[in-house]
Amino acid sequence: MRRQESIARASLVVLTVTLLSRILGFVREILIAKFYGAQAVIDSFLVASVLPSTIAGLIGGALTIVFIPVFIDEREKKGEEAAWDGTSSLITISFFYLLLMLCLGYVISPFFIRAIAPGFTQERLRLAISFSAVMMPSLVFSGLLGLFTGIFNSYRLFTLPTLVGLLYNVCLMTFLVAARNHPLLSLGVGSTSAIALQVVILCLVARKMWPLLRMKFLFSHPMLKKVWRLMLPIFVGTGVGYLNLIVDRIFASFLPEGTIAALNFAVRVREIPLGLFVVALSHVVYPVTSSQVAQGKIEEFKDLFARSLETLWLFVIPASVGLLMLPEQTVRVLFERGAFTAQATTTTGQALFFYSLGLFAGGSLDLVAKAFYSLQDTRTPVKVGAIGLIVNTVLNALLVRPFAHKGLALATSLSSTIVFMILIEILRRRMRGIGGRALMKNLMKISLATIIMGIFVSLLRPLAQTTFGYIVVVSLSVAIYTVAVLLLKPTSARMILNRLKSKLGAD
């Protein structure tokens, strides 16, 4: 067995590399905004990406979520060889299933695009269908990427998969700069090539590290049967998530040209704190909690979950308040240049404000869902997710007419908040407590520190209209929040501080 990375070290590495990846990702988004703006070409590109990303998510996403706890359990109980026999078969069979879905995707793509973009003009439809044709192979690579990432994470090896993620942005940015006048090549071929490059690297490294990984067809392997049984609810649950995206796209297609692009740029901004902190925590913690459950260490599982959730809140809550108070200023600094106009900034900023209302719940949802998956309960998140889909659809229908794109963003925030509240209550009852009293106490401390920061931001908000002023306001706000947190001392902050002190002392 290869050396495992500690939770603290892995979290720091993943956070650092994720920060670099997010910086590159935003350079990528800035280039897209500069070259194409919030216009029809981006609307068509985003609609075309729904089908390949949905198929990849349904197969690859479901397999990845189920694979980690099943692989760890198989390895703990039956040994490495049995676990790798099942893994080899799973990858081989998944590859052929993905190829079949690729063929199916090409057949249904024109009909699917017309169904989810009924408000598109013929020109935008034709462009979306062309994008879909060049992007469809990405579903095969995306599915395999998830599985190989799961293998590394099962051994608590997080650095390489995270580093490889940097290549996606580098590759796509290369295509953007080299072929800016050819959107099909720069966006379509570029994104597909970027995903393929990640898969090739991870596959080669995995094959070298684990010689037991090879092509194999063992349909009767017990591990496969367990994976298929557990992944069905995940498959449905992942489908529910993509149905939410499809519903949003359908409603947005009737709004003015560029609305889908503006909503997407707003989501990209909202994903800054989610990508930095939620991804880093969930990727590192999920294999550990799965191992704790497999070993029957339930109290340790509950403690790690509670600490992870509070640590997430320490960063996400102030980030959400910052975005709520400076939505258009943030969008202006990040995107307003080239083809991205002042009107696009206004539209995107309005959407960002309402998306940010649900940032707290949306960020927490991933950790809560992974807690259920660690317990090998894949049904509960699916059932609650279905409720969220219904709520989101109803709210979209009610809010889109009076509030347009703002209503779609608000519907997403409200539905994710409802889903989070239901799931966390179910988990609390099932586990007979998750340290709720301590969590609430620390949540109040984090909230108080955020209020102090918010007052400061409101006083200096007029200065944030320029790029330099915005940077100054954000930097000072972070400093004020940090001081307030150090004075109030929530548990997560004390743990991080103690970890830093021990590191400095060791050095």
Side-chain angles (χ1 to χ4, degrees):
M1 183 184 299
R2 299 285 176 178
R3 182 178 62 85
Q4 297 178 341
E5 300 178 63
S6 69
I7 294 178
R9 180 182 180 277
S11 296
L12 180 60
V13 170
V14 172
L15 180 60
T16 302
V17 179
T18 301
L19 175 60
L20 293 175
S21 181
R22 289 291 160 179
I23 292 172
L24 286 177
F26 256 89
V27 173
R28 179 198 72 212
E29 293 298 320
I30 288 169
L31 288 175
I32 293 174
K34 179 180 179 180
F35 296 153
Y36 307 114
Q39 298 177 8
V41 63
I42 301 300
D43 286 349
S44 298
F45 169 71
L46 293 172
V47 167
S49 68
V50 171
L51 184 58
S53 63
T54 298
I55 296 175
L58 288 175
I59 298 178
L63 281 172
T64 305
I65 292 171
V66 170
F67 171 79
I68 292 176
V70 171
F71 178 84
I72 292 174
D73 189 60
E74 187 80 7
R75 190 180 63 198
E76 292 282 341
K77 294 178 179 177
K78 298 183 180 179
E80 293 276 330
E81 188 170 353
W84 278 109
D85 281 344
T87 299
S88 298
S89 296
L90 181 62
I91 291 176
T92 304
I93 294 167
S94 297
F95 175 68
F96 284 100
Y97 279 157
L98 287 166
L99 287 179
L100 288 175
M101 295 307 295
L102 173 62
C103 297
L104 178 62
Y106 274 115
V107 173
I108 68 174
S109 177
F111 308 101
F112 180 83
I113 289 173
R114 288 187 173 89
I116 69 168
F120 269 23
T121 62
Q122 287 301 313
E123 181 182 355
R124 284 203 286 174
L125 280 174
R126 282 194 296 269
L127 183 56
I129 292 171
S130 298
F131 268 122
S132 180
V134 298
M135 294 169 61
M136 198 61 67
S138 66
L139 71 89
V140 177
F141 300 120
S142 295
L144 294 176
L145 178 63
L147 275 173
F148 281 110
T149 300
I151 291 173
F152 282 89
N153 289 352
S154 296
Y155 283 94
R156 302 188 195 176
L157 297 171
F158 308 99
T159 303
L160 180 63
T162 312
L163 281 172
V164 170
L166 292 172
L167 293 177
Y168 176 86
N169 292 316
V170 173
C171 183
L172 183 51
M173 284 191 296
T174 302
F175 273 85
L176 283 169
V177 173
R180 67 182 72 179
N181 296 323
H182 305 281
L184 285 176
L185 180 59
S186 63
L187 292 171
V189 177
S191 60
T192 301
S193 301
I195 299 172
L197 179 61
Q198 293 175 271
V199 174
V200 170
I201 293 175
L202 284 185
C203 178
L204 292 175
V205 175
R207 186 68 182 85
K208 185 176 182 180
M209 290 183 67
W210 297 290
L212 290 173
L213 176 62
R214 51 193 182 273
M215 297 285 287
K216 214 166 197 179
F217 287 93
L218 291 176
F219 284 92
S220 60
H221 195 284
M223 183 175 161
L224 264 72
K225 295 179 180 178
K226 191 172 185 179
V227 166
W228 303 138
R229 176 173 55 83
L230 288 174
M231 76 171 285
L232 182 59
I234 296 288
F235 188 88
V236 176
T238 305
V240 167
Y242 283 104
L243 280 174
N244 268 315
L245 175 63
I246 291 169
V247 167
D248 288 348
R249 290 285 191 267
I250 291 172
F251 281 103
S253 72
F254 291 102
L255 296 175
E257 182 179 298
T259 298
I260 295 177
L263 290 170
N264 180 71
F265 283 121
V267 169
R268 295 300 186 198
V269 178
R270 186 194 63 168
E271 285 178 349
I272 296 176
L274 296 183
L276 283 176
F277 306 113
V278 178
V279 171
L281 274 173
S282 64
H283 279 193
V284 173
V285 170
Y286 181 40
V288 181
T289 53
S290 298
S291 180
Q292 289 171 339
V293 171
Q295 297 171 22
K297 300 177 180 178
I298 301 302
E299 290 302 317
E300 291 183 16
F301 162 78
K302 290 165 60 175
D303 180 61
L304 179 57
F305 169 75
R307 286 189 286 115
S308 301
L309 193 60
E310 185 200 326
T311 302
L312 174 67
W313 292 345
L314 184 68
F315 297 101
V316 169
I317 291 176
S320 63
V321 171
L323 291 176
L324 282 168
M325 301 188 74
L326 301 171
E328 290 192 28
Q329 294 89 336
T330 302
V331 174
R332 181 178 299 112
V333 169
L334 292 173
F335 297 128
E336 192 176 305
R337 59 187 58 83
F340 200 96
T341 63
Q343 179 57 47
T345 295
T346 300
T347 305
T348 304
Q350 291 169 344
L352 176 60
F353 175 86
F354 288 99
Y355 275 133
S356 299
L357 292 172
L359 187 60
F360 169 81
S364 305
L365 264 177
D366 192 57
L367 276 178
V368 176
K370 291 289 177 60
F372 282 97
Y373 299 150
S374 297
L375 295 166
Q376 297 193 18
D377 176 5
T378 56
R379 296 180 180 274
T380 300
V382 172
K383 294 176 182 177
V384 179
I387 296 173
L389 172 62
I390 295 171
V391 171
N392 185 52
T393 304
V394 172
L395 289 175
N396 274 335
L398 292 174
L399 298 175
V400 69
R401 186 177 295 275
F403 301 112
H405 60 287
K406 300 187 289 292
L408 298 180
L410 179 58
T412 298
S413 293
L414 291 174
S415 60
S416 63
T417 301
I418 292 170
V419 170
F420 165 68
M421 293 175 64
I422 295 174
L423 279 178
I424 195 69
E425 177 61 19
I426 293 173
L427 184 65
R428 185 190 68 80
R429 294 187 180 187
R430 178 169 301 178
M431 302 306 299
R432 297 182 180 179
I434 52 173
R437 184 171 298 178
L439 270 176
M440 290 304 299
K441 179 181 178 181
N442 288 300
L443 175 60
M444 294 301 295
K445 291 182 178 180
I446 293 170
S447 299
L448 180 57
T450 302
I451 291 171
I452 295 171
M453 181 202 76
I455 294 172
F456 180 82
V457 174
S458 66
L459 294 175
L460 294 185
R461 182 158 44 187
L463 300 178
Q465 302 304 317
T466 65
T467 299
F468 178 75
Y470 177 86
I471 293 173
V472 170
V473 171
V474 171
S475 300
L476 291 175
S477 300
V478 171
I480 292 292
Y481 175 73
T482 302
V483 171
V485 163
L486 291 176
L487 291 174
L488 293 169
K489 296 180 180 179
T491 302
S492 53
R494 290 202 307 270
M495 291 174 57
I496 293 172
L497 189 60
N498 291 335
R499 173 66 63 176
L500 290 174
K501 287 180 179 179
S502 65
K503 281 288 183 182
L504 293 174
D507 294 339

